[in-house]
Amino acid sequence: MAPRAKLIVVMAFSRSDEGELVPAFEAMQFEVEDRAIRTARDLAGKHVGVIAWAREAQPDIGEYGPPTVLFQSGDVPDME
């Protein structure tokens, strides 16, 4: 059985000219939750929405656990 990894991601969002939420840049991955939360807090004042989340992952077999929100500010799309 492959070891489980933790996927930790920060995403920031802007609004398009049509008012839709769009990613401000590519998702950033982190090794530790604390660093992701600090980065998300720093970005919160600069974008309409920011989210940091984590999930257990076994990417080699395509299995991902449910996402857990670590930090959220402003407008972000619903997590799928």
Side-chain angles (χ1 to χ4, degrees):
M1 185 171 193
R4 287 200 174 273
K6 189 170 246 188
L7 183 64
I8 304 168
V9 177
V10 172
M11 294 186 72
F13 298 91
S14 300
R15 289 217 179 263
S16 70
D17 292 340
E18 294 79 34
E20 299 289 320
L21 282 175
V22 294
F25 45 78
E26 289 290 317
M28 295 184 288
Q29 288 192 37
F30 290 84
E31 296 292 319
V32 294
E33 292 179 0
D34 288 350
R35 183 129 189 256
I37 292 167
R38 273 199 312 273
T39 299
R41 285 189 172 146
D42 288 345
L43 292 170
K46 302 173 183 133
H47 299 279
V48 298
V50 176
I51 189 166
W53 56 270
R55 65 173 25 155
E56 297 290 321
Q58 286 182 281
D60 54 323
I61 61 171
E63 281 193 10
Y64 297 92
T68 300
V69 175
L70 305 173
F71 174 87
Q72 183 174 330
S73 175
D75 296 334
V76 297
D78 291 333
M79 296 287 288
E80 294 179 8

